[in-house]
Amino acid sequence: MSDISELETRITTALERISAGLGALAPAGASEPGEVAALTAALEEERTVNAQLEERVKAIKEKQDSTVETLVGEVDRLRALLETEERTLAKLRQVNNDLRSNNDALRQAVSQGVAEPHLINKSMMAELEGLRAAQNADRVELDAVLGELTGLIEDANAKESADA
């Protein structure tokens, strides 16, 4: 982008020098009308090229702005998805830690010959919670996959519509 700006600056400077040169030639008398006509034609040609470059710069900037907006939206969507998956994973880890500690307590009670029903119930509840958390993690993952597939399908449909 800076190359285009640099070229535009150079062209504008050249146009100003040509204009100044034409201004100096005109008062001195048009002793060589062919040279003045050639310089005028060159000036007009440079102005045309400059206008074309300005249009190209404008088109490139608009395309870049729309691409940046699209990418920002995609990053925001992926960030939200990542946060959801991190929360789900943290919940799954917590449930698994609870299950391990309950199983350790149950194992100690059984090794001491004491079968405590509340430890068994607590262990079963932790296991159920672990299954629910795992199911929720699977659901979040499936939603992410479906979201990606939906985006791909929409892009393909948009491309087909544009080609038709």
Side-chain angles (χ1 to χ4, degrees):
M1 192 69 156
S2 64
D3 292 339
I4 294 174
S5 298
E6 183 180 321
L7 287 173
E8 187 175 351
T9 304
R10 287 175 57 192
I11 289 172
T12 304
T13 304
L15 289 173
E16 289 172 0
R17 282 188 295 189
I18 291 171
S19 293
L22 285 177
L25 285 178
S31 60
E32 297 181 37
E35 185 178 343
V36 172
L39 288 174
T40 304
L43 176 63
E44 287 304 315
E45 184 179 324
E46 289 298 323
R47 284 184 179 153
T48 303
V49 169
N50 189 26
Q52 289 172 347
L53 282 175
E54 286 176 359
E55 286 299 316
R56 286 178 56 196
V57 166
K58 184 178 176 183
I60 289 170
K61 185 173 181 345
E62 288 173 358
K63 182 178 179 183
Q64 183 181 15
D65 289 346
S66 73
T67 301
V68 167
E69 288 176 14
T70 302
L71 291 175
V72 166
E74 183 69 11
V75 166
D76 290 343
R77 184 186 69 78
L78 291 174
R79 186 174 289 133
L81 181 63
L82 181 62
E83 288 172 0
T84 302
E85 288 188 8
E86 285 176 350
R87 283 191 304 269
T88 304
L89 185 59
K91 176 71 174 169
L92 187 59
R93 284 186 185 133
Q94 179 61 42
V95 168
N96 282 336
N97 286 337
D98 292 345
L99 182 60
R100 275 190 217 103
S101 62
N102 285 335
N103 284 343
D104 288 340
L106 185 61
R107 212 175 291 119
Q108 285 178 353
V110 168
S111 69
Q112 294 173 358
V114 180
E116 296 190 29
H118 80 280
L119 288 177
I120 294 171
N121 288 340
K122 195 172 180 183
S123 180
M124 288 175 58
M125 293 299 288
E127 187 173 353
L128 285 173
E129 186 63 30
L131 290 173
R132 287 185 189 115
Q135 182 184 22
N136 190 36
D138 290 344
R139 186 178 308 121
V140 167
E141 188 176 349
L142 283 173
D143 288 345
V145 170
L146 287 175
E148 290 298 317
L149 287 176
T150 302
L152 290 173
I153 290 169
E154 289 172 356
D155 289 347
N157 288 339
K159 188 175 181 180
E160 282 183 16
S161 297
D163 289 344

